[in-house]
Amino acid sequence: MRYLFLAVLLFSAVACTTPNGNKLSFSSLNPQTDISPANPTVSYEMYSWYNGQDWAYAIIENGVKLTTSFKQITEDDNIIVGSAYLKDKLLEMPRGTKVYWNLKRIKGFQMPDEKTIESIVSAAKKAGVSVEVIAWPN
């Protein structure tokens, strides 16, 4: 009986080690990754314009407030100035977030050059944020 107990104990010790001899822990068996999906009902509208010195952006959560004018959107407290800062903001958003880059036919909004647009969309995509460009012609 004693040998059976020792055999089970030895088997348990061997089964709970990695090939290099390190013991496995619970955390190594369950990697700490964020697999929780973002709230699919949360989406944002984004607007862009050139403020005379740099590109400025406004990101507004859909349904938070109705925005209908250039003045109302550009006077918001949460304006982001500079494409690099916009990328940082997009990287902070939860994976699965949807952002609609929208002009809504509101006079005054503009799109940056194609290279800048592609850079922003690419950075967001790497972070798991979907940026859909909706630019309606005048």
Side-chain angles (χ1 to χ4, degrees):
M1 186 70 160
R2 185 175 5 168
Y3 292 111
L4 179 62
F5 175 74
L6 287 174
V8 170
L9 185 62
L10 180 62
F11 177 75
S12 297
V14 171
C16 292
T17 59
T18 61
N20 62 6
N22 295 333
K23 289 188 177 182
L24 292 176
S25 66
F26 182 73
S27 62
S28 67
L29 296 174
N30 296 305
Q32 299 296 316
T33 56
D34 181 16
I35 58 171
S36 59
N39 184 346
T41 61
V42 176
S43 62
Y44 297 86
E45 289 186 12
M46 183 168 74
Y47 301 89
S48 57
W49 65 97
Y50 193 74
N51 70 6
Q53 297 175 2
D54 203 348
W55 283 98
Y57 305 90
I59 299 177
I60 302 166
E61 185 174 342
N62 281 338
V64 171
K65 66 179 183 179
L66 298 175
T67 53
T68 57
S69 72
F70 180 80
K71 182 178 180 181
Q72 186 180 14
I73 293 169
T74 58
E75 290 180 351
D76 191 82
D77 293 338
N78 298 315
I79 301 300
I80 302 162
V81 179
S83 299
Y85 293 111
L86 172 64
K87 290 177 190 177
D88 290 342
K89 179 67 175 175
L90 293 170
L91 293 174
E92 293 172 3
M93 293 181 158
R95 294 182 70 76
T97 299
K98 294 188 181 294
V99 177
Y100 300 97
W101 199 341
N102 198 344
L103 298 181
K104 274 191 172 176
R105 296 185 188 227
I106 300 173
K107 188 175 181 170
F109 291 114
Q110 305 166 326
M111 298 296 284
D113 61 273
E114 192 171 329
K115 183 178 176 183
T116 302
I117 294 170
E118 288 175 3
S119 171
I120 291 167
V121 171
S122 176
K125 185 176 183 179
K126 288 178 185 174
V129 175
S130 170
V131 175
E132 185 176 333
V133 179
I134 304 171
W136 296 329
N138 290 332

